[in-house]
Amino acid sequence: MGEVDILLIIKMIIIGLVQGFTEPIPVSSSGHVMIASEILGLGEQGFTFAILTNTASLFAILFIYKKDIVRLAVNSILYLKTKKSSYKDDYRFVFFIIIGTIPAGVLGVLLSDYIAESVSMTTIAVMLFVTGIALWLIRNIKGNKGEGDIKIKDAFLVGLGQAVALTPGISRSGATIISSIAVGMKQDTALRFSFMLYIPISLGGVILGFSDFLNEPNKAELAIPYLVAFIATLLMTYFAMKWFMGIMKNGKLVYFTYYCFFIGVLLLIFF
């Protein structure tokens, strides 16, 4: 393997680590991948690469929430069969996930061409400021809604937040967590609802983009760099998510306000 190939692999590992670390936290993973690619001289990463790394992040989230996913699926089916009240909360939670997925799902299909367009560093900086301001505004909100207290209106409003995150540079996790807290959810409920919403929307993106992945002309040449990027993203998403769950548990979400402002200023100065 030549020196250039090794350098490319190292760069792909770095990109994978950036994607994995920023996917769970409210700072825009796509924006950070663009920043890292620019710094490393890789240029714009293609749609195929985005599908690959997003799939890795999805696998990590699925693994973390595997018990919740199984419980929700089994209890929802049991409720439909038996109508027992003991299964009703889990059934309602799944129903609300479906409601919350609709806005981003519909807009994602309608605006797919726009979403695929690249954005400038200035746009990313502005969106980081927007995210930071939103995080600051909800910093003192102490919600009291658990999973059993969510209403259709709450789910739909959070779904609209996820739809807003289709805008390049807006963090998906940030938009949904901010929306969830704004409608009165507890922080642990907001976190769980946010990432349960992430699963169907991410899975849909993977399925829709799978044909593009199969038609990638340079798959053989990029097999090893893509593989190491996938592994790096998978592992980093897992550890970043575990870390972020601790941040949310301790009510320290406001820290990301300062980070968004800091990175936004750096982008405006140096790019």
Side-chain angles (χ1 to χ4, degrees):
M1 183 179 294
E3 183 178 347
V4 175
D5 294 326
I6 294 174
L7 183 59
L8 177 61
I9 287 172
I10 293 172
K11 289 181 177 180
M12 286 295 190
I13 290 173
I14 294 172
I15 295 294
L17 292 174
V18 170
Q19 160 67 26
F21 181 69
T22 55
E23 180 60 54
I25 65 179
V27 298
S28 177
S29 59
S30 59
H32 278 71
V33 167
M34 286 185 64
I35 295 167
S37 297
E38 183 74 18
I39 293 172
L40 293 172
L42 285 174
E44 184 180 346
Q45 298 304 306
F47 187 56
T48 300
F49 184 80
I51 293 171
L52 186 78
T53 52
N54 285 335
T55 302
S57 289
L58 174 62
F59 284 178
I61 300 300
L62 286 171
F63 183 78
I64 289 172
Y65 282 109
K66 61 184 183 298
K67 291 182 179 178
D68 292 290
I69 294 168
V70 171
R71 188 196 77 243
L72 289 169
V74 171
N75 287 354
S76 295
I77 293 171
L78 289 173
Y79 178 76
L80 290 172
K81 287 183 176 180
T82 67
K83 300 298 182 182
K84 288 185 178 180
S85 59
S86 56
Y87 303 128
K88 188 174 182 179
D89 281 351
D90 284 338
Y91 169 78
R92 290 178 74 252
F93 193 72
V94 171
F95 174 73
F96 293 141
I97 291 170
I98 295 170
I99 294 296
T101 301
I102 291 172
V106 172
L107 288 178
V109 172
L110 295 177
L111 304 177
S112 58
D113 292 337
Y114 169 74
I115 295 167
E117 292 179 2
S118 60
V119 296
S120 68
M121 292 297 167
T122 301
T123 301
I124 294 173
V126 170
M127 294 307 166
L128 283 171
F129 286 131
V130 170
T131 302
I133 291 169
L135 287 168
W136 178 260
L137 291 174
I138 57 97
R139 70 192 185 282
N140 293 324
I141 296 178
K142 305 295 182 184
N144 56 12
K145 291 181 181 178
E147 291 184 9
D149 303 310
I150 302 173
K151 307 298 182 186
I152 290 180
K153 180 183 71 172
D154 301 328
F156 187 73
L157 288 174
V158 176
L160 289 177
Q162 181 162 251
V164 169
L166 294 173
T167 306
I170 290 288
S171 165
R172 192 217 63 85
S173 65
T176 51
I177 288 172
I178 289 166
S179 302
S180 297
I181 292 175
V183 300
M185 292 187 202
K186 298 176 183 177
Q187 292 216 353
D188 60 336
T189 304
L191 180 69
R192 190 176 300 107
F193 192 66
S194 169
F195 283 95
M196 287 299 166
L197 278 179
Y198 165 80
I199 291 169
I201 208 71
S202 180
L203 187 59
V206 169
I207 293 171
L208 291 174
F210 190 66
S211 61
D212 294 276
F213 179 77
L214 292 178
N215 295 325
E216 168 65 50
N218 300 319
K219 283 199 301 290
E221 179 184 339
L222 295 172
I224 295 178
Y226 275 12
L227 177 62
V228 296
F230 183 91
I231 294 171
T233 304
L234 177 71
L235 295 175
M236 182 54 79
T237 302
Y238 176 82
F239 290 113
M241 184 64 194
K242 287 290 188 179
W243 173 71
F244 184 55
M245 291 169 82
I247 294 287
M248 288 288 290
K249 185 177 181 180
N250 294 323
K252 303 298 183 182
L253 193 60
V254 70
Y255 289 166
F256 294 101
T257 294
Y258 311 128
Y259 176 83
C260 287
F261 289 161
F262 176 69
I263 298 299
V265 169
L266 288 183
L267 288 177
L268 292 178
I269 293 174
F270 295 105
F271 290 94

